[in-house]
Amino acid sequence: MLRKEEILERTSNGLAVFKHYLPGNWRIGRNFLNPLYEDSKASCNIYFDRHSGMYKMKDFGNDNYSGDCFFFVGQLKGLDCNRAADFVEILEIIDRDLGLGLASGTPVSIPPATARRAVPDKSEEMSEKPVKPYQFREQKFPLAELVYWQQYGITPELLEHYKVCSLREYSSETAEGKPYTYTSSVAEPMYGYKGKQHIKLYRPFSTPRFLYGGSFGENYCFGLEQLPAKGDTLFITGGEKDVLSLAAHGFHAICFNSETVTIPPTLVYRLTFRFKHIVLLFDMDKTGRESSCKQEKLLEEFGVKRLLLPLPGTKEEKDISDYFKAGNTREDFLKLFIEFLDNLYSDTLIMLKSCEIDFNNPPAKAQEIISAGDVPLGTQGNLFGITGGEGTGKSNYVAAIVAGCICPAGADIDTLGIQITANGRHKAVLLYDTEQSEVQLFKNVSNLLARAGQQGKPDELKAFCLTGMSRKERLNAIVQSMDKFYYQYGGIQLVVIDGIADLVKSANDEAESVAVIDELYRLAGIYNTCILCVLHFVPNGLKLRGHLGSELQRKAATILSIEKDDEPAQSVVKALKVRDGSPLDVPLMLFAWDKGAGMHVYKGEKPREEKEKRKERELVNVARDIFGRQTRITYIDLCEQLQQVLDIKERTAKSYIRFMRERDIITKDTANQSCFVIGSYNLQRNASCP
């Protein structure tokens, strides 16, 4: 049984544990950035606690991240050191990672040189390797040097963006204090990768190739500053030139000081929230292969994988820069990445293949992005919800949207009153159905192809019947296939999930509902697409029922409700939520079945009076709800409640208050003019209106 005291005895009272897991050139008693979160101000340090007799970490900016070495390792590994089982696991991790040998019963003795006194030696603490003085002179990139970078696709603008300069001269001192100077020439150019407190010299045709000036610490990471807030894939490469080459071809990349350094796990952990994939792309020589294999194992818990280039590993053909220099294009590299994904998702894609609708071999019994006027509805990076009861025409309305995404360029088709942006680049259009049979889905897709004016199925349209999968498998299949088709078709125009309630066990399970909607919202952002979610139940006024409905309404940019009109033969489209504007100001669009056309057709908008009646009716119901909880309310509180209940912006809430006052739904309190009370409007009569 491992004991805390034994580990402290063999780790200099916990100091060795911090040194093992904590990246960076930190010193005892000196503040540094806390790696456990996005720390912006250096207010964290390691100190010796005389009371407990061990080293601890203190974060003056956020005390929740202060504690001893066991707490720190627990935070890194997602464990709670206050739980007995987790604490035992933390002890085992430290014993294993530091090679203490306590669990095996053969403890490793500590050489006297590495043992530390309980009270640290201040002179030892304060000692730091002095930074050698250095100077450099920049110059404008000569034409020959620009030609050198251009062979990798790297432009002058990109060099400037990544703070790469051409150096005329560099001066510094040797370890013995002797001054030296390097001067660039046509045969031996010299470049600098500039940081805030350092510069890394790159001399591609000279020895030594690399020189270092200033204070680097242990956190050197080239390209980190230039990364976007979110992206699909991040490559970790072996060098700065590789980062630049990838950036020149439209890919995100970073590198550390060399392929052999230990990549900071805390940094990788933070990057997993920003990128779908983190992929090691090291050199193909012996060192690069061995290092990428080692790093992949060390970063396994973060899902980091490695991609091997089809290069022999010679000096001239070993890295991604050489790959592009040889004439390979962005598309060639994408093919490699798609093959990588095929191998990564092989089991799932094989299973999903059996679910894809095969239009060359139809079932035995063959039956059968977005705006309204000037109001944006479905936008890239967002969710778009459609809800309604049985038989209201939801599936036909969704089919019209899909038809608008795959119709030939310039074709004039009926999309039931909404405008669809042309899919000129033929990006993927994905339809996942969780409710209908394979035969019915085939029929529905055949009908939408006819509406789109397509003789056959375009290659970019993929339709899947997921009824044969378990609920857990469905979401996983959607996630992984989206990833593959995104790269294969150069993006995703639209994703339709017809029946998102079938992705969860219960639409009233809060945790499960939040998890599913969060994942779909994340995917919409990563792939810069619109995900249309069909929810098969009737809303209550301006709000959707159930936890799944509430969460969808909270995250979606638009929610449309398909309902039967006063005239039963027609369906009406109502906006329940529009992120940019008021849902009650969106036109009420009508559509109905046309026997002659053999499809549903657009019937125009309902009169303005109808829209005003709807607005009035909904706001009466909201007022009854608010004043059912209180007799009077201030303007500010009323505005806030309207924003919360209707999920609208402040300016829209204020316009609703004006409307409610005009219709006498609410009125000023005669006893207190700063408050509102229920108006003289006949709430009962209007509440009973259909």
Side-chain angles (χ1 to χ4, degrees), residues 409-445:
D412 185 17
I413 68 170
D414 188 351
T415 53
L416 304 184
I418 59 173
Q419 293 80 51
I420 312 296
T421 302
N423 185 15
R425 292 172 52 195
H426 299 284
K427 295 190 290 185
V429 179
L430 310 178
L431 171 59
Y432 303 94
D433 197 299
T434 67
E435 288 196 337
Q436 301 179 100
S437 66
E438 186 181 6
V439 171
Q440 186 61 47
L441 180 58
F442 180 83
K443 178 182 177 181
N444 291 350
V445 177

Side-chain angles (χ1 to χ4, degrees), residues 355-429:
C355 304
E356 184 177 0
I357 301 297
D358 188 353
F359 281 79
N360 296 318
N361 300 287
K365 189 179 179 181
Q367 299 182 11
E368 60 170 33
I369 262 194
I370 310 167
S371 60
D374 58 352
V375 181
L377 301 178
T379 55
Q380 292 180 329
N382 280 305
L383 303 183
F384 179 12
I386 292 180
T387 185
E390 191 70 29
T392 55
K394 294 185 304 298
S395 294
N396 290 286
Y397 194 76
V398 170
I401 294 174
V402 176
C405 291
I406 63 169
C407 66
D412 185 17
I413 68 170
D414 188 351
T415 53
L416 304 184
I418 59 173
Q419 293 80 51
I420 312 296
T421 302
N423 185 15
R425 292 172 52 195
H426 299 284
K427 295 190 290 185
V429 179

Side-chain angles (χ1 to χ4, degrees), residues 481-498:
S481 60
M482 279 181 64
D483 198 39
K484 195 257 179 128
F485 294 132
Y486 170 80
Y487 290 99
Q488 184 173 344
Y489 291 93
I492 301 174
Q493 182 77 354
L494 180 71
V495 178
V496 175
I497 305 175
D498 196 348

Side-chain angles (χ1 to χ4, degrees), residues 37 64 142 152 224 295 359 369 458 489 507-508 563 570 646 688:
Y37 66 98
N64 292 328
Y152 306 107
L224 185 64
Q295 299 286 8
F359 281 79
I369 262 194
Y489 291 93
N508 287 311
E563 304 170 16
Q570 296 186 142
L646 300 177
S688 64

Side-chain angles (χ1 to χ4, degrees), residues 1-3 6-7 10 91-92 94-96 98-109:
M1 181 75 177
L2 289 172
R3 292 190 303 112
E6 289 180 315
I7 288 179
R10 287 168 171 79
L91 297 180
E92 291 172 347
I94 294 172
D95 180 52
R96 182 192 67 232
L98 273 70
L100 302 179
L102 295 171
S104 63
T106 55
V108 178
S109 60

Side-chain angles (χ1 to χ4, degrees), residues 83-271:
R83 293 182 66 248
D86 283 7
F87 190 77
V88 171
E89 189 174 347
I90 291 169
L91 297 180
E92 291 172 347
I93 290 171
I94 294 172
D95 180 52
R96 182 192 67 232
D97 291 355
L98 273 70
L100 302 179
L102 295 171
S104 63
T106 55
V108 178
S109 60
I110 302 175
T114 62
R116 300 288 293 264
R117 293 184 291 275
V119 179
D121 188 334
K122 290 188 178 180
S123 63
E124 188 176 351
E125 288 179 25
M126 298 300 292
S127 64
E128 187 179 50
K129 188 177 180 181
V131 177
K132 299 294 182 185
Y134 68 97
Q135 290 182 330
F136 61 88
R137 283 199 297 151
E138 295 184 37
Q139 64 179 1
K140 186 178 178 182
F141 277 95
L143 180 60
E145 294 185 5
L146 292 177
V147 170
Y148 167 79
W149 291 106
Q150 188 57 52
Q151 64 185 334
Y152 306 107
I154 301 167
T155 63
E157 293 76 20
L158 197 67
L159 291 169
E160 183 180 1
H161 183 57
Y162 279 81
K163 301 177 182 177
V164 183
C165 64
S166 175
L167 297 179
R168 181 184 296 273
E169 189 177 87
Y170 176 81
S171 302
S172 186
E173 294 179 356
T174 66
E176 293 78 27
K178 295 180 179 179
Y180 68 86
T181 298
Y182 285 106
T183 305
S184 69
S185 65
V186 175
E188 294 186 281
M190 187 163 57
Y191 309 107
Y193 303 119
K194 295 187 294 183
K196 290 182 179 179
Q197 297 180 328
H198 66 264
I199 186 169
K200 181 176 179 179
L201 270 66
Y202 175 47
R203 307 164 70 229
F205 310 115
S206 308
T207 302
R209 276 200 308 153
F210 296 103
L211 292 167
Y212 304 89
S215 177
F216 278 78
E218 297 178 11
N219 288 326
Y220 176 79
C221 183
F222 183 79
L224 185 64
E225 182 183 337
Q226 288 77 19
L227 292 181
K230 286 192 180 280
D232 45 71
T233 304
L234 174 65
F235 294 99
I236 300 178
T237 72
E240 292 82 1
K241 188 172 65 178
D242 296 337
V243 172
L244 295 167
S245 296
L246 284 163
H249 292 82
F251 301 99
H252 308 304
I254 59 173
C255 75
F256 298 91
N257 200 24
S258 74
E259 292 177 332
T260 57
V261 302
T262 301
I263 297 174
T266 51
L267 175 60
V268 176
Y269 173 70
R270 292 198 293 268
L271 290 171

Side-chain angles (χ1 to χ4, degrees), residues 403 406-408 411-413 446-456 458 599:
I406 63 169
C407 66
D412 185 17
I413 68 170
S446 299
N447 290 339
L448 80 84
L449 291 176
R451 179 185 291 274
Q454 294 281 14
Q455 297 298 315
M599 65 178 69

